[in-house]
Amino acid sequence: MANSLFRRKTITEQPPEHQLARTLSWPHLVALGVGAIVGTGILTLIGVGADRAGPAVLLSFVVAGAICACAALCYAEMATMIPASGSAYTYSYATLGEVIAWVVGWSLILEYSLVVATVAVGWAGYANGFLAARGAALPDVLTHGPTLAGSVANGTLHLATPGINVLAIVIIGVVAGLLMLGTRESARINTALVVLKIVTLTLFVAFSLPYFDAANLHPFAPLGYGSTPGAGGVKYGMMGAAAIIFFAFYGFDAISTAAEEAKNPERDLAIGIVGSMVACTIIYLIVAAAAVGALHYTKFADSPEPLALILRGIGQDTVAAVVAAAAVIALPTVILGFLYGQSRIFLVMARDGFLPTSLAKVSARGTPARITAVTAVLVSILAALTPLDVIASLANAGTLCAFIAVAVCVLVLRQREPNGRRPFRTPLAWLVAPGAILGCLYLFTSLQSITQISFFVWNAIGLLIYFLYARRRSLVA
């Protein structure tokens, strides 16, 4: 039985009905990465991070970015060494064995689904603010999911406020339709929206930086530099914020799911992954510094639209309206990047027999339309009914698992196949890969307790499904 649990997949050519169209070059991949990375993390979650760390959220960005940089280098090596769809799931299946791959794939389902839901909720926050400013606000019950009050422990948990986030459902449907239209078409629209997003952030920095006041940085770390438990199990402090800010950096892993649609995967994947990560780290640090310097963090902490609020707080109402409008237009690039990645993860799991193989069939346009539609329905339910901070935090747990797995794959293959063909080699691999592993483990311990518990419950359910259903259906068997 142990041998069957760790059986490994051989990467082979797919039959015509399962083959994706190769339409993406490296500029498309960089745009996909930047589009997926720059989004809710800086446009929305900077408020959550400031609430948990104060001005020390700047260091939270540095820590999270450094850990993600290590992971990105590992992804670049694995993506060029195994240029197949499936990202960390495929790398784990080919390197570590089936049961590990299942856990990673199950965690990726958690990551991608919750990221799409999180960004949809963040987009809805900006869209609602934009509509409200023009007297077209939706009824409150249609702008958020239901909220709970009380405690499970003493049996007082109850529905405090009913609601359903209608706009979150709408935007997921629009993006899913665009993806089903065609990969090349969606990539072109994504590139245009990424340019708009960068222009928007540049506009924010240009108008907020002149208001930079060093006094707003004091006290710099009011909640400390570590990770301190607070009310409801939320972790505060610089590292506590880094664990949630971490959400702002990933997205480069979505590029690795495009391996079978890249024209020259051995070259383009490494450029896309590393290039988008470097660009986004620079952008984040500049925007975060401008934000916490322009307005005291207590005035925008936990806001659903912090950048627009900061601009209004310094008297730049017109620019705030432009930023809010641009966020409404450009945030869907993140949904596109992750919904794209999620559908490709599901596609590969269906190919491997873990999901119905009929879902792996691609349309005449070369896109996995069936699995994209199924994915859109699932994440729409999450987005409509779940609060932002809960799903962002839980998405981080799934991502950390995947990042650890990819770093382990790098080390295992360096040992098992030291002379294997590596179009991109991670520099200082025996320092970078362990750095990614240890950093991700530390960030996991900094997540709130309910997130950690939920992650283990999710994977316990996943392993139960694997042993009762998926293991017998595995085509590798």
Side-chain angles (χ1 to χ4, degrees):
M1 179 177 175
N3 288 337
S4 67
L5 290 179
F6 295 97
R7 56 198 173 201
R8 300 199 302 270
K9 179 173 75 169
T10 301
I11 307 300
T12 58
E13 186 76 13
Q14 295 299 319
E17 66 272 16
H18 290 173
Q19 286 183 2
L20 300 168
R22 291 194 178 275
T23 58
L24 304 178
S25 55
W26 70 260
H28 293 124
L29 295 177
V30 171
L32 179 67
V34 173
I37 298 170
V38 177
T40 300
I42 194 67
L43 292 171
T44 300
L45 285 180
I46 187 174
V48 177
D51 179 56
R52 298 186 182 187
V57 70
L58 289 171
L59 294 182
S60 299
F61 274 103
V62 173
V63 170
I67 293 171
C68 279
C70 291
L73 290 171
C74 293
Y75 263 91
E77 177 167 321
M78 293 305 302
T80 55
M81 196 174 184
I82 306 177
S85 285
S87 188
Y89 162 77
T90 296
Y91 311 150
S92 298
Y93 210 160
T95 306
L96 305 177
E98 186 172 284
V99 70
I100 303 298
W102 173 266
V103 171
V104 171
W106 194 247
S107 297
L108 284 172
I109 291 173
L110 184 72
E111 173 198 344
Y112 282 84
S113 299
L114 293 183
V115 168
V116 173
T118 302
V119 178
V121 172
W123 178 86
Y126 270 92
N128 283 319
F130 182 75
L131 292 173
R134 281 144 191 80
L138 294 176
D140 185 64
V141 72
L142 300 180
T143 64
H144 60 79
T147 57
L148 303 176
S151 170
V152 176
N154 56 26
T156 61
L157 189 68
H158 63 279
L159 178 66
T161 309
I164 180 169
N165 200 326
V166 172
L167 289 179
I169 297 174
V170 170
I171 193 59
I172 290 172
V174 170
V175 173
L178 178 61
L179 284 171
M180 288 187 280
L181 180 65
T183 302
R184 181 190 294 272
E185 292 79 2
S186 57
R188 286 173 176 168
I189 295 174
N190 178 70
T191 301
L193 293 180
V194 166
V195 172
L196 173 63
K197 194 188 303 185
I198 300 304
V199 169
T200 300
L201 292 176
T202 302
L203 189 67
F204 169 79
V205 171
F207 279 87
S208 61
L209 208 54
Y211 291 86
F212 187 93
D213 183 356
N216 289 328
L217 302 181
H218 299 288
F220 186 72
L223 300 167
Y225 290 95
S227 177
T228 307
V234 174
K235 299 291 182 67
Y236 290 89
M238 187 266 288
M239 287 305 300
I244 192 84
I245 287 295
F246 175 76
F247 180 94
F249 281 94
Y250 58 81
F252 61 83
D253 52 326
I255 297 172
S256 63
T257 66
E260 292 180 26
E261 291 160 279
K263 293 178 180 177
N264 185 356
E266 293 186 352
R267 180 198 67 182
D268 296 347
L269 290 173
I271 294 174
I273 292 170
V274 177
S276 61
M277 188 64 204
V278 170
C280 292
T281 300
I282 295 171
I283 292 168
Y284 276 9
L285 289 176
I286 294 173
V287 172
V292 296
L295 195 68
H296 198 269
Y297 79 94
T298 55
K299 296 180 181 178
F300 66 87
D302 230 5
S303 166
E305 45 164 3
L307 299 191
L309 188 150
I310 290 168
L311 288 168
R312 287 195 292 269
I314 59 177
Q316 298 291 338
D317 290 8
T318 302
V319 182
V322 172
V323 168
V328 170
I329 297 170
L331 260 182
T333 61
V334 185
I335 301 175
L336 188 148
F338 279 94
L339 193 59
Y340 172 91
Q342 173 67 89
S343 62
R344 271 57 179 178
I345 298 292
F346 275 143
L347 174 73
V348 178
M349 294 183 79
R351 285 176 180 172
D352 292 337
F354 292 142
L355 296 173
T357 52
S358 60
L359 293 176
K361 188 174 181 179
V362 300
S363 69
R365 290 178 170 271
T367 63
R370 293 181 183 180
I371 204 71
T372 301
V374 170
T375 305
V377 171
L378 293 176
V379 296
S380 292
I381 295 170
L382 282 171
L385 303 175
T386 317
L388 177 65
D389 59 340
V390 173
I391 47 182
S393 184
L394 191 52
N396 284 357
T399 307
L400 290 167
C401 175
F403 283 9
I404 290 171
V406 173
V408 170
C409 286
V410 168
L411 297 179
V412 168
L413 289 181
R414 285 294 181 101
Q415 191 70 29
R416 184 190 297 160
E417 301 177 27
N419 299 317
R421 188 169 181 272
R422 292 175 172 82
F424 177 88
R425 293 181 65 88
T426 301
L428 302 173
W430 290 98
L431 290 176
V432 171
I437 294 168
L438 295 175
C440 288
L441 287 173
Y442 187 79
L443 286 181
F444 183 84
T445 64
S446 299
L447 291 170
Q448 58 195 81
S449 303
I450 186 65
T451 300
Q452 297 169 355
I453 294 170
S454 298
F455 173 76
F456 287 119
V457 169
W458 171 261
N459 274 293
I461 294 171
L463 285 172
L464 187 64
I465 293 172
Y466 172 74
F467 284 108
L468 294 180
Y469 170 79
R471 183 169 170 268
R472 289 176 292 138
R473 292 176 52 87
S474 169
L475 296 185
V476 174

